[in-house]
Amino acid sequence: NYLPALVVSLVLLWIPALIFLLARHVIRFKSHTQCDEFVLVWNTGYRLANVFFTLFSISLLEALQCFREDPENYVLTLADGVIRQSTFLMNLMILAAGQETMLQLLQWRSLIKQAVFRPLINTNRRSRRYLDWLNEAPEFEQSFMFGFFAPVLSYGLMIAMIFAFMAPIMLGVCAIFFWIATKVHTNNALFVYCQRCEGGGKIFYYWNRIVFITLYS
């Protein structure tokens, strides 16, 4: 199950960047905040859909036919399928703890930018504007973009809540993920990012909706 989980984790890693480009260059939102909010909504929706499609991988027609023929057997089959998919989601959380959080700590965009451009140029022959661009962090690493980071945390929270009573080992895996994420985000918020503006507590409404969607699912 590690190879499919690795492929899915790579897709989940690039989805928010693609959504941000869509908001910036296709829909053409006027402000950075609008783009970030758009990424937050659609990245969260994509991850929610990913979890539910993974859990209920049986097709809709097959599910309706099975429910019509034998409702009791349908419930047992559905519960058994959900348990089987727990290993796949657990692998996703392990990869998220090691892949997504470490990439955020590494600041890989800035690292690639400095490793590729700076050794190949003569800074004495370049304009001040080019040097300012070279020293400036990429857009995705200038501030704490909730559309990129919050859906990952809500993803782990939802998986932990769903499997808390069916596969208790998932709580341990998710706890490790949140412990690592706390260290990484705290370090970035204090020493790396320069936040342009405060959110005014709007993120707490987002967490409230995520928790209730998970509870009533």
Side-chain angles (χ1 to χ4, degrees), residues 89-156:
L89 293 174
M90 184 174 67
N91 291 335
L92 279 180
M93 294 308 303
I94 294 173
L95 288 170
Q99 183 186 74
E100 297 193 32
T101 55
M102 290 301 104
L103 285 176
Q104 294 166 17
L105 181 63
L106 183 62
Q107 300 292 299
W108 60 273
R109 298 178 183 88
S110 297
L111 187 63
I112 292 176
K113 183 179 179 181
Q114 297 299 323
V116 172
F117 289 97
R118 189 171 289 278
L120 300 178
I121 65 170
N122 186 352
T123 55
N124 295 324
R125 295 183 178 181
R126 294 291 181 173
S127 65
R128 184 63 187 176
R129 182 177 180 182
Y130 181 86
L131 295 178
D132 289 340
W133 171 83
L134 187 62
N135 294 324
E136 186 182 19
E139 185 177 14
F140 294 152
E141 296 178 357
Q142 292 179 1
S143 61
F144 204 96
M145 298 180 64
F146 291 106
F148 283 71
F149 304 139
V152 182
L153 302 177
S154 62
Y155 189 68

Side-chain angles (χ1 to χ4, degrees), residues 43 52 72-73 137 174 203:
N43 190 17
F52 288 117
E72 183 177 354
N73 185 48
C174 292
I203 191 67

Side-chain angles (χ1 to χ4, degrees), residues 57-96:
S57 56
I58 186 172
S59 68
L60 182 60
L61 293 178
E62 292 178 356
L64 292 176
Q65 184 177 0
C66 182
F67 182 76
R68 191 184 306 113
E69 294 175 355
D70 190 355
E72 183 177 354
N73 185 48
Y74 166 76
V75 175
L76 294 176
T77 303
L78 185 62
D80 183 64
V82 170
I83 292 295
R84 285 200 305 269
Q85 295 298 335
S86 64
T87 56
F88 177 77
L89 293 174
M90 184 174 67
N91 291 335
L92 279 180
M93 294 308 303
I94 294 173
L95 288 170

Side-chain angles (χ1 to χ4, degrees), residues 18-33:
L18 296 176
I19 297 175
F20 185 86
L21 293 176
L22 176 67
R24 172 64 60 82
H25 299 291
V26 179
I27 303 177
R28 296 183 181 275
F29 286 117
K30 295 182 179 180
S31 66
H32 180 83
T33 303

